[in-house]
Amino acid sequence: MEDISWGWIAAAVVVNLTGLAGLWIRARWRAHAEKARGESLIAIAEALPGGGRLRDQRADGSCITLTVPVTAGQGGRRG
């Protein structure tokens, strides 16, 4: 225990806390970006007419496709 100084322990704690703070900031930024993206997709989907289709593809290759059904009031059949 004599070989380890308090300075090294403090430095290790600071490095770990800095890393955790960086991860927390990145997670908050990502959550904010996802929320904004979701809100814009909802706004676009609400503006689509019955039978309309929306496809959103991300840079990572994942995509979401939304098809708005034709409602009975728009000439569709019931039941």
Side-chain angles (χ1 to χ4, degrees):
M1 189 68 174
E2 295 174 7
D3 294 339
I4 300 175
S5 68
W6 286 107
W8 285 107
I9 293 171
V13 169
V14 167
V15 166
N16 285 332
L17 289 177
T18 303
L20 286 174
L23 289 173
W24 181 77
I25 290 169
R26 184 176 176 199
R28 295 260 317 186
W29 176 82
R30 177 97 184 221
H32 178 72
E34 288 293 324
K35 182 179 178 186
R37 184 182 188 102
E39 289 173 353
S40 65
L41 285 175
I42 289 171
I44 292 169
E46 288 175 344
L48 285 174
R53 178 177 249 177
L54 169 69
R55 180 180 173 144
D56 180 49
Q57 187 160 1
R58 296 179 178 205
D60 66 358
S62 64
C63 67
I64 183 171
T65 303
L66 173 70
T67 303
V68 179
V70 178
T71 61
Q74 294 179 341
R77 58 181 188 183
R78 289 184 151 176

